[in-house]
């Protein structure tokens, strides 16, 4: 028996399309493709198909006959707006700060004035900071290309403007002060810098380990969520205590960078990162708790035992 | 109906009277024995056509029937206009109990205050002192305006500032009064007003010589003092418990033009001061410093300017709400 599918606009409820003779085992993905054929400007990533006008969007893998619909199914469509792939977004977001920092490090003439153009700082910590900052963003770019597996393919286009403003703007602001001719190195000198470098390297290694571990959970190409567990890698042992150790390590990286440069704008950026990541970690943590009855109870979202 | 003889003994109502009826003058009497104990004193009210006898139950509860005997006397019929069935009776009881509980609650919430007179005295003194201070400022400025005209604008600060410093420093007490609950008005509008004004007075005007000889100072001080000329006397009188209606109206209406004008004058002050702070770098953190950041005070002032308009807006809404509370219902009565 074949199904009939009608798709209505979620707000106006007008019928946008009527699909005849749909296979019962058709997936939402196939329905999206059929809809796209009728409306070329609404490519599948832009389509939110739902059972209820105010409900959640159906996933691509859902099968028509398993949904709570009769043989004539009514689905609702919402336009999510122009979409952009996560990989694309990350690449743009992370390349910006990398090169913007260099503009300040090499002291382009329009930054500190003609007198200071292309000069270099007498403080070794400034060179170190440039290496660390660049290393951080290059690592992120490599992870985006080779490591991350995204569960959602796309995000709305306007997000990229917001995100880029944030990352690029802050990179410029903190690079300005670190590479400034009147920069003051850390008050506790070499001790402070060495401590910061070691903390930085440990956190970067930790962050990378977690990303690899998370990526391995989806090695088979599936898009379902699984509980991450500690592996043989000691850095992943943070999973015993925390749901999102990648965020924990990330905050650690930025704290170490703040200590290394002793710069208030860096500290402010660290604080904002911490707030944002705590929100994401809590979200993820509660999603895990809801989905898995046997989720380890010792784990906190982002800081062991505390938060 | 004449000579009614009504009494209750041992829960029995005895009635005896002389009446003029269809069959001429006769003596009428009856007796009713009540189901449960009743109060021995009935309340009687005589009208032309009837006699009302109200008998109270000793215990307020539902009676299955009126009389002790099982059969209802033939002459007895319920008055359904005043009939309360079981649920109504229960509701009546419940309401009465609730009223009792509420009364007890209200009485217990208001403790007797041994310091009441001391507090009142302090508040009256405070409002009086402020009123005198601002009157001096207002009169002084007005007189100088008449004598010197526009020229009085430019050295307003030098003549008035000391008194204004005094009054505005004293105004911090208003925040304290609200904080410790001495005064019923809410804390936040008081804080916004006192801190906002003192910021302009001490930081913007007080610390910059250049600002002190600007004309805008005259307007800032003038608007501040006019508003206070109405506010403090109103508070003084309300402490004593007197209300002078014209003053109330003035106090709750004069702010409508004066508050925005005052805010505007303060904004002009800020805008004029920003270039001076930029040039001199006063209160700004510049490089090099161990925090490796620059905090230009002029930038903070620009943020403050936005906050100023927001604060005025918030206070405006609060004052408008207050106005409706104090003046609103009366307006309806006048119509």
């Amino acid at each position: 028996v074949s199904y009939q599918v009608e798709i209505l606009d979620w707000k106006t409820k007008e019928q946008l399309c009527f699909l005849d003779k749909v296979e019962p085992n058709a997936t939402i993905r196939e329905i999206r493709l059929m809809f796209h054929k009728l409306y070329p400007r609404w490519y599948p990533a832009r389509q939110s198909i739902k059972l209820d006008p105010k409900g959640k969007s159906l996933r691509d893998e859902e099968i028509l006959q398993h949904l709570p619909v009769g043989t004539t199914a009514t689905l609702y469509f919402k336009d999510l707006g122009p979409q952009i792939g996560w990989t694309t977004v990350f690449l743009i977001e992370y390349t910006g700060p990398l090169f913007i920092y260099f503009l300040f490090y090499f002291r382009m003439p329009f930054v500190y004035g003609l007198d200071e153009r292309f000069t270099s700082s007498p403080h070794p910590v400034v060179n170190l900071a440039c290496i660390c900052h660049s290393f951080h963003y290059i690592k992120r770019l490599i992870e985006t290309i080779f490591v991350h597996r995204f569960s959602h393919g796309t995000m709305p286009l306007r997000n990229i403007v917001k995100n880029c403003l944030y990352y690029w703007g802050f990179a410029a602001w903190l690079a300005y002060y670190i590479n400034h001719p009147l920069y003051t190195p850390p008050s506790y000198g070499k001790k402070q810098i060495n401590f910061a470098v070691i903390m930085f390297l440990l956190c970067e290694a930790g962050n990378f380990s977690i990303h690899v571990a998370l990526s391995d959970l989806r090695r088979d190409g599936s898009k379902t969520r699984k509980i991450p567990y500690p592996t043989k890698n000691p850095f992943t042992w943070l999973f015993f205590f925390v749901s999102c150790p990648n965020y924990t390590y990330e905050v650690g990286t930025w704290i170490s960078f703040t200590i290394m440069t002793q710069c208030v704008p860096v500290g402010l950026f660290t604080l904002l990162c911490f707030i944002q990541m705590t929100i994401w970690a809590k979200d993820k943590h509660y999603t895990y708790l809801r989905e898995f009855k046997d989720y380890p109870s010792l784990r906190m979202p982002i800081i062991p035992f505390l938060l | 109906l004449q000579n009614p003889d009504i009494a209750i003994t041992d829960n029995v109502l005895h009635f005896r009277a002389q009446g003029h009826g269809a069959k001429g003058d006769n003596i009428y009497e009856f007796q009713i024995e009540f189901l449960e104990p009743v109060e021995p004193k009935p309340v009687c009210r005589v009208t032309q056509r009837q006699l009302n006898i109200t008998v109270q139950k000793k215990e307020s509860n539902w009676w299955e029937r009126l009389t002790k005997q099982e059969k209802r006397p033939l002459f007895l019929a319920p008055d359904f206009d005043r009939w309360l069935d079981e649920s109504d009776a229960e509701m009546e009881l419940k309401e009465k109990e609730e009223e009792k509980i509420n009364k007890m609650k209200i009485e217990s919430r208001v403790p007797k205050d041994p310091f009441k007179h001391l507090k009142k005295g302090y508040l009256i003194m405070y409002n009086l002192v402020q009123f005198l201070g601002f009157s001096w400022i207002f009169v002084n400025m007005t007189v100088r305006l008449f004598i010197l005209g526009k020229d009085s604008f430019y050295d307003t600060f030098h003549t008035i500032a000391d008194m204004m410093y005094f009054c505005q420093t004293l105004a911090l007490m208003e925040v304290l009064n609200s904080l410790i609950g001495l005064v019923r008005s809410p804390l936040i509008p008081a804080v916004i007003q006192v801190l906002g004004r003192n910021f302009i007075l001490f930081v913007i005007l007080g610390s910059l010589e250049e600002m002190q000889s600007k004309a805008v100072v005259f307007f800032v001080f003038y608007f501040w003092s006019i508003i206070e000329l109405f506010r403090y006397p109103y508070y003084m009188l309300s402490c004593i418990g007197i209300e002078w209606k014209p003053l109330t109206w003035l106090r709750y209406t004069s702010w409508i033009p004066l508050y925005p004008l005052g805010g505007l004058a303060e904004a002009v002050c800020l805008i004029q001061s920003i270039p001076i702070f930029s040039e001199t770098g006063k209160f700004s953190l510049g490089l090099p410093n161990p925090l490796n950041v620059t905090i230009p005070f002029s930038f903070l002032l620009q943020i403050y300017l936005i906050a100023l308009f927001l604060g005025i807006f918030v206070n405006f809404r609060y004052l408008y709400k207050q106005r409706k509370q104090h003046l609103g219902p009366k307006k309806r009565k006048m119509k």
Side-chain angles (χ1 to χ4, degrees):
Chain A
V1 67
S2 67
Y3 276 57
Q4 297 178 318
V5 177
E6 65 163 358
I7 303 185
L8 312 176
D9 181 276
W10 77 292
K11 232 189 191 154
T12 66
K13 312 283 193 309
E14 69 164 289
Q15 197 189 72
L16 295 169
C17 95
F18 189 85
L19 301 167
D20 219 355
K21 298 210 181 48
V22 182
E23 294 290 316
N25 60 2
T27 59
I28 296 291
R29 189 159 174 276
E30 290 162 20
I31 292 179
R32 283 198 165 107
L33 287 168
M34 289 191 258
F35 191 75
H36 175 43
K37 281 212 191 82
L38 293 169
Y39 293 93
R41 63 187 286 255
W42 286 333
Y43 43 87
R46 253 178 107 142
Q47 298 174 27
S48 168
I49 303 284
K50 1 190 192 189
L51 288 169
D52 179 70
K54 299 215 180 108
K56 271 177 62 174
S57 191
L58 292 168
R59 291 191 318 235
D60 270 343
E61 311 84 55
E62 304 255 23
I63 298 175
L64 189 58
Q65 66 181 1
H66 293 161
L67 293 172
V69 290
T71 46
T72 306
T74 303
L75 298 174
Y76 294 91
F77 161 78
K78 183 178 178 182
D79 181 15
L80 295 172
Q83 298 285 299
I84 186 163
W86 273 77
T87 315
T88 320
V89 171
F90 274 11
L91 289 177
I92 300 176
E93 265 177 27
Y94 298 153
T95 323
L98 187 62
F99 289 107
I100 288 175
Y101 196 97
F102 291 147
L103 294 177
F104 292 86
Y105 178 72
F106 294 115
R107 297 196 181 156
M108 293 285 133
F110 50 82
V111 177
Y112 301 112
L114 289 169
D115 295 334
E116 300 283 350
R117 66 181 190 272
F118 305 124
T119 51
S120 59
S121 171
H123 309 292
V125 68
V126 173
N127 305 324
L128 188 61
C130 182
I131 295 171
C132 289
H133 189 266
S134 312
F135 174 80
H136 180 74
Y137 281 102
I138 292 173
K139 168 182 153 292
R140 281 207 198 182
L141 285 168
I142 293 176
E143 283 172 348
T144 306
I145 301 172
F146 296 111
V147 178
H148 286 312
R149 294 179 214 273
F150 300 109
S151 46
H152 300 279
T154 63
M155 67 160 88
L157 191 61
R158 56 191 129 78
N159 271 14
I160 198 172
V161 179
K162 190 172 41 111
N163 290 2
C164 280
L165 227 75
Y166 174 74
Y167 279 104
W168 294 20
F170 255 110
W173 194 42
L174 57 91
Y176 175 80
Y177 286 107
I178 298 173
N179 299 295
H180 199 282
L182 294 175
Y183 171 76
T184 316
S187 312
Y188 293 98
K190 276 216 149 75
K191 271 194 290 189
Q192 188 170 334
I193 299 171
N194 292 339
F195 170 77
V197 172
I198 294 172
M199 185 176 172
F200 178 84
L201 289 172
L202 289 175
C203 289
E204 289 287 80
N207 184 267
F208 184 72
S209 313
I210 303 297
H211 284 154
V212 167
L214 288 173
S215 161
D216 281 346
L217 285 180
R218 292 210 176 130
R219 207 184 294 166
D220 50 1
S222 71
K223 283 194 178 173
T224 51
R225 228 188 295 270
K226 295 199 204 91
I227 304 180
Y229 284 108
T231 65
K232 293 210 195 70
N233 182 340
F235 286 112
T236 62
W237 295 350
L238 200 50
F239 268 121
F240 281 123
F241 306 106
V242 155
S243 293
C244 302
N246 49 328
Y247 295 147
T248 318
Y249 283 122
E250 180 76 24
V251 175
T253 303
W254 284 106
I255 292 177
S256 69
F257 196 64
T258 312
I259 297 172
M260 191 195 300
T261 56
Q262 199 171 293
C263 179
V264 163
V266 182
L268 205 63
F269 183 63
T270 309
L271 183 67
L272 291 180
C273 277
F274 174 64
I275 294 172
Q276 176 70 81
M277 286 185 198
T278 306
I279 297 173
W280 289 338
K282 282 197 172 214
D283 240 1
K284 252 239 176 107
H285 181 74
Y286 292 130
T287 312
Y288 279 143
L289 282 175
R290 259 182 289 129
E291 256 187 63
F292 303 108
K293 301 294 172 207
D294 56 343
Y295 195 72
S297 55
L298 186 61
R299 290 190 191 180
M300 296 296 272
I302 188 171
I303 300 182
F305 310 118
L306 291 179
L307 193 60
Chain B
L1 190 70
Q2 280 153 8
N3 307 326
D5 181 10
I6 306 165
I8 297 182
T9 47
D10 295 337
N11 293 333
V12 179
L13 172 71
H14 299 270
F15 175 86
R16 192 194 166 92
Q18 211 173 12
H20 187 86
K23 292 186 182 154
D25 273 337
N26 276 309
I27 295 185
Y28 294 90
E29 65 177 323
F30 69 83
Q31 285 166 359
I32 300 179
E33 188 173 359
F34 292 106
L35 181 69
E36 286 186 28
V38 294
E39 296 289 341
K41 296 229 172 80
V43 177
C44 306
R45 238 186 283 140
V46 185
T47 63
Q48 273 222 344
R49 305 197 72 211
Q50 62 189 34
L51 166 71
N52 283 336
I53 308 174
T54 307
V55 181
Q56 273 234 325
K57 296 175 184 171
K58 258 222 168 80
E59 271 179 38
S60 290
N61 51 18
W62 174 256
W63 286 2
E64 281 292 315
R65 57 178 186 275
L66 182 65
T67 53
K68 212 167 192 146
Q69 68 198 81
E70 289 213 358
K71 227 175 163 194
R72 201 208 290 158
L74 288 171
F75 58 83
L76 208 55
D79 176 4
F80 284 104
D81 285 339
R82 283 186 271 176
W83 176 258
L84 283 177
D85 64 10
E86 232 177 312
S87 53
D88 289 337
E90 272 180 37
M91 264 172 50
E92 244 196 29
L93 268 170
K94 272 199 198 138
E95 280 175 35
K96 283 200 185 135
E97 297 235 0
E98 273 181 39
E99 268 186 56
K100 264 197 220 158
I101 297 171
N102 280 339
K103 265 196 190 157
M104 286 191 335
K105 271 197 202 159
I106 293 172
E107 276 171 20
S108 63
R109 243 193 279 152
V110 179
K112 301 294 172 197
D113 191 358
F115 294 112
K116 204 155 76 150
H117 293 292
L118 207 66
K119 288 181 187 174
K120 269 217 163 43
Y122 157 73
L123 283 175
I124 295 173
M125 280 309 295
Y126 169 78
N127 287 313
L128 182 64
V129 170
Q130 288 284 45
F131 174 63
L132 292 175
F134 278 104
S135 313
W136 183 92
I137 293 176
F138 177 74
V139 168
N140 206 309
M141 288 177 78
T142 314
V143 166
R144 290 180 68 250
L145 182 64
F146 274 123
I147 298 178
L148 301 169
K150 267 215 228 160
D151 290 337
S152 73
F153 291 172
Y154 302 103
D155 58 337
T156 306
F157 194 85
H158 292 112
T159 29
I160 307 290
D162 288 326
M163 182 59 91
M164 190 58 93
Y165 280 149
F166 170 72
C167 288
Q168 282 298 133
T169 313
L170 197 62
L172 288 170
M173 301 300 286
E174 271 175 57
V175 175
L176 201 71
N177 291 347
S178 193
L179 198 66
I180 62 178
L182 199 62
V183 169
R184 258 180 303 128
S185 44
L187 185 63
I188 297 184
V191 169
I192 293 178
Q193 169 155 313
V194 171
L195 289 186
R197 278 202 192 164
N198 284 8
F199 181 73
I200 301 281
L201 183 61
F202 289 100
V203 178
I204 307 293
L205 296 178
S207 63
L208 292 183
E209 288 258 4
E210 215 181 301
M211 283 303 296
Q212 292 169 10
S213 46
K214 291 210 189 254
V216 69
V217 179
F218 178 88
F219 293 96
V220 171
F221 283 5
Y222 213 49
F223 290 135
W224 285 356
S225 51
I226 299 178
I227 296 179
E228 307 301 38
L229 280 187
F230 300 127
R231 199 162 68 96
Y232 286 119
Y234 173 78
Y235 286 156
M236 267 200 295
L237 290 184
S238 71
C239 273
I240 310 177
I242 302 174
E243 194 196 341
W244 189 33
K245 293 240 167 51
L247 184 65
T248 309
W249 186 86
L250 274 174
R251 183 256 184 276
Y252 284 108
T253 312
S254 57
W255 59 265
I256 295 180
L258 290 172
Y259 203 63
L261 284 174
L264 198 63
E266 289 180 24
V268 170
C269 241
L270 282 170
I271 293 171
Q272 288 186 337
S273 70
I274 286 175
I276 306 175
F277 281 111
S278 273
E279 270 177 50
T280 59
K282 198 161 190 173
F283 300 143
S284 307
L285 183 66
L287 289 178
N289 67 73
L291 294 177
N292 289 309
V293 66
T294 52
I295 307 178
F297 196 61
S298 51
F299 177 71
L300 293 181
L301 285 183
Q302 286 160 349
I303 308 275
Y304 184 77
L305 200 56
I306 299 173
L308 177 76
F309 285 113
L310 284 175
I312 292 178
F313 181 68
V314 166
N315 255 3
F316 207 88
R317 268 205 329 200
Y318 165 70
L319 289 171
Y320 186 71
K321 204 168 58 156
Q322 270 213 315
R323 180 170 199 265
K324 277 217 278 207
Q325 268 179 18
H326 278 89
L327 296 183
K330 293 184 189 128
K331 270 199 168 158
R332 259 187 268 135
K333 274 191 190 161
M334 289 206 299
K335 281 195 177 160

